[in-house]
Amino acid sequence: MELVEGKNPDDQEDCLSFWESLAHFYSHFLQAYKGSPALSGVITPYLNQIYSFVVKFYQHAAEDDDVVNALLGVIGDMANVINASQDMQLKQGTKAVLCSADMYNFMTRVESQIQEKEDVKGTYDWAKQQLMILNSSC
């Protein structure tokens, strides 16, 4: 689903709502495997796709605080779940995505756009903290 300028505002709201719901689904999916031995086999194949989802839809929904909060929650949940794992191989493998220059650039771009938004800033700070913990643990 893509937002198209000049289209029905209700359709655009539906699209944003769908993206927010999908982000919440990803967060719940990730948290369901926190501490599970099956974590590596479940998350690793999808990590790049989840990250791509977050980046792509942030570009289209940067002005919608609810969507941005949900997308930042996905990033924080990915890092949080990996941080809880004892599997160093999993941590090393996911670090390539979650602690990459691309992720740093993405988080910097988000930070510059949310300075005035306290409700989003809290989620941003939590996600950033989770990424820092992951980066220092490997």
Side-chain angles (χ1 to χ4, degrees), residues 59-132:
Q59 293 170 352
H60 295 289
E63 298 302 316
D64 188 293
D65 292 353
D66 293 333
V67 175
V68 172
N69 249 339
L71 294 173
L72 288 169
V74 171
I75 291 171
D77 284 331
M78 280 193 293
N80 179 265
V81 167
I82 303 305
N83 286 334
S85 173
Q86 299 301 315
D87 185 343
M88 287 306 288
Q89 191 173 20
L90 173 65
K91 287 184 179 188
Q92 288 294 337
T94 57
K95 187 176 178 179
V97 174
L98 293 178
C99 299
S100 67
D102 286 343
M103 179 61 82
Y104 175 81
N105 292 336
F106 172 77
M107 293 296 283
T108 300
R109 186 172 62 237
V110 171
E111 183 178 35
S112 70
Q113 295 174 343
I114 63 163
Q115 290 304 315
E116 307 285 322
K117 302 176 180 183
E118 286 302 315
D119 55 331
V120 177
K121 191 156 177 10
T123 306
Y124 170 84
D125 290 341
W126 175 77
K128 183 177 178 181
Q129 178 186 29
Q130 296 303 311
L131 290 170
M132 289 171 40

Side-chain angles (χ1 to χ4, degrees), residues 22-34 39 41-44 46-47 50 77 81:
L22 191 54
H24 286 297
F25 166 77
Y26 278 136
S27 285
H28 292 293
F29 171 77
L30 292 164
Q31 287 295 330
Y33 285 94
K34 186 174 183 177
L39 178 69
V42 172
I43 289 181
T44 304
Y46 301 105
L47 193 61
I50 295 171
D77 284 331
V81 167

